[in-house]
Structures are given as C-alpha cells and as structure tokens.
Amino acid sequence: MKNFFSKRRVSASGFSLVEVLVYVAVLVLVTMAGVLTYLSLSTTLVRYETERAVSHAAQVTLERIVRDIKGATTITAAESSFGTSSPPSLTLVAGTTTTKFSLSGGNVLLTQNGIEIGPLTSEDVTVEQLYFLRYTGVSTELVRVVLTLSASNKAASTTRTFFGSGVLRGSYE
Amino acid sequence: MFRIPPHQNKHSQVGVSAVEVLIGVAIASLVLIFAANAIILFINSGRTVSEKTKGLYLAEEGLELVRFIRDQAWTNVSGLSTNSTHYLRVTGTTVTTSGTSEVIDGFQRSFRVQNVYRNSTTDDIVASTTGGSVADTNSKYVFMTVVGGNPTTTVTLTSVLSDLTP
C-alpha cells in the first residue's frame, strides 16, 4: 500500500481520477447554474416587456378616456353604445368639442369633431375588450370604462383588465 | 489535499490546486447567482408596477363611484358608520354601497368613512383633537383601499366629499 502511493506520487504529472471527477462535477454544476440563470433571466425579461406594454397602454388610454368623461357636459346617446352587446363607442360633448372613443382594428380610436386623431393604444398591445356602462343619477351621470388589454411575444403573454369611472362634471346642474 | 509537495513536483507550483479551483469557482458562482437574482428582482418590479397601476385605477374609480353615490343623496355617505368597512356594489345599471365584500379581478375594494373636523372660526380642516374643532356634518373623509394582485399590492386613496346639495 505504501509502495503504491509513493510510486504514484513520483510518477504523477497530471491529475488523479478523483481530481478529474471533482473538476467535472464542479464544471457540470457551474454550467447548469449558468444555463438555469440565463433561462430564468430571459424568461423574466420577455415577460417584463409584455407587462410594461400593457401597463403603459392602460395608463395612456384610461387616463385620456376618464379625463374626457370628467370634463364632459353631456353624452351624445345616438353616437354611443353601452354594454357588451354592440361595438363600443362613447361620444362626449364638452363645450364645442365632441370627442368619440371607439374600437377599430384592435385599437382604441380617438376622434375629435369628426376628425380621426388616431389610436390611443400602441401596436404592441391588443384591445381584447372595451365597453362602456352608463349610470344616470338624480342630477349627474357616470360612465364606467372596462378595458382588457393583452400583449404577447414569442415566449410570454400578458392579459389584464382595467376599470375606470368618471362623473361628468358638466352634468352637475 | 491534492497539492503535490513542492519538493516532489516543481511543475505544480505554476498551476493551481484543486482546493483553489473549488474556492474560485464557488466564489464566482455565488457572485453570478446573487447578480442574477438582483437582476430578476429588478425586472420583476415591472410586474409589481403593473399590479399597482391596476390597483390605483380601481381605487380612483372607487372614489368616483362614492362621489356618484353622494350625488344621489348626501345621506348615502353621511349615514355610513364611521371607522367600519364598507363596500361598493356595481351592477350593469346601479352603483350602491354594500356590506358584502367586492372582489374585482382578484382585487378586493373596500372603504371607510370618517368625520371631518374644522376650526370653528376659519373652517380649515383640523385634527379632531385640536381645540375648538367641530365635526362638519356636510363633509366626510373617504379612505378607499384596494388589496390584491400577484405580488400583493395595497393602494389607499383619500378624498374629502362634501354635500353639494344647493
């Protein structure tokens, strides 16, 4: 036994089997940790992109619609449709300005005084659902907006529903 | 433990021992894992922002709905017991207050009502403990709270509602 070790040490210029095994094991562990970390990072990043797109589109769209509802005096009922049964549209009158929100090609479209201003939502987001609800009170009116947005890319998909309501300040008598 | 004694193999002195390699790899792995976790945590904050945005809109909407309920009759708000939790009930045609929990898309929305105290001379809003303060029967604090989402977020908005009846 003693002879075996002393003989091996003298002749050893490379690695022993145990050393190689330990190196390989460590290498495999580090590679696995690296690959898992990369996969986790890329998945999180991809999901973050869709989250950010939906969140940003919701802020821009709801902010605009609710602000216009609050600033409006009346609703043009003939050019508005409420509930989920028909394509959504909301036409608000504030002074001499008529603002219409409708759904067109998966985007929320803004029209002012008959002129198409453009879509409120960006191309990377799809409007899954948009509808308006109208509540008529004793002296005021309230409009509720329900907006479902989705964004997806190769690896992730995000869908969220946002709610917003506004009392028509101009409806106070 | 694997180091070959210097007097036996001088060539090994220029390389590194297995223990050194292991320590080096362990430190590098730890740094890598901590860095990756920090990045993942940072990116996940995007999801938190998204949930917070949703909660914020629900809370803002809640205050607007209470405002609408107030517009029907001031007693709808002034009659609510202070410091107890109330809920909203929104159907396709009506908006009312309710004693039943309201859950919207994974978020619970509730509100509390508190008295507003004013300085009897200047009418400025003051704390109830301030000397000379009088409870204003025509104003109420409304604290709207929305809790929910994943990760769970809490949003609380406060507004003072007043009786607008002429």
Side-chain angles (χ1 to χ4, degrees), chain A residues 21-171:
Chain A
L21 282 176
V22 169
Y23 287 142
V24 168
V26 168
L27 190 70
V28 166
L29 280 176
V30 169
T31 312
M32 272 175 65
V35 168
L36 287 176
T37 306
Y38 173 75
L39 285 176
S40 176
L41 259 176
S42 56
T43 309
T44 313
L45 192 66
V46 160
R47 205 180 61 207
Y48 170 70
E49 284 173 0
T50 58
E51 289 279 357
R52 190 182 54 82
V54 166
S55 184
H56 182 253
Q59 282 181 45
V60 170
T61 312
L62 266 190
E63 202 69 44
R64 177 67 201 242
I65 297 176
V66 171
R67 190 157 53 86
D68 276 28
I69 291 171
K70 288 179 180 177
T73 314
T74 53
I75 297 166
T76 310
E79 292 177 43
S80 305
S81 66
F82 299 97
T84 53
S85 53
S86 50
S89 67
L90 175 69
T91 307
L92 302 159
V93 180
T96 55
T97 310
T98 302
T99 309
K100 185 179 180 180
F101 298 98
S102 56
L103 200 57
S104 171
N107 286 309
V108 179
L109 188 69
L110 171 68
T111 310
Q112 252 180 352
N113 292 332
I115 300 163
E116 203 175 289
I117 304 294
L120 286 175
T121 43
S122 52
E123 282 178 4
D124 52 354
V125 169
T126 307
V127 180
E128 297 291 338
Q129 191 182 34
L130 170 73
Y131 64 90
F132 304 101
L133 293 169
R134 185 184 190 181
Y135 300 88
T136 306
V138 176
S139 60
T140 53
E141 278 193 295
L142 176 112
V143 176
R144 190 178 207 207
V145 189
V146 181
L147 177 68
T148 305
L149 297 171
S150 75
S152 58
N153 52 29
K154 279 177 278 177
S157 175
T158 300
T159 304
R160 275 176 204 283
T161 303
F162 297 87
F163 299 82
S165 286
V167 174
L168 278 72
R169 301 296 192 266
S171 66

Side-chain angles (χ1 to χ4, degrees), chain B residues 58-76:
Chain B
L58 281 171
E60 266 187 17
E61 190 203 31
L63 284 178
E64 197 72 3
L65 293 171
V66 176
R67 201 167 279 129
F68 181 68
I69 291 167
R70 180 274 317 267
D71 291 340
Q72 313 317 306
W74 171 241
T75 49
N76 287 346

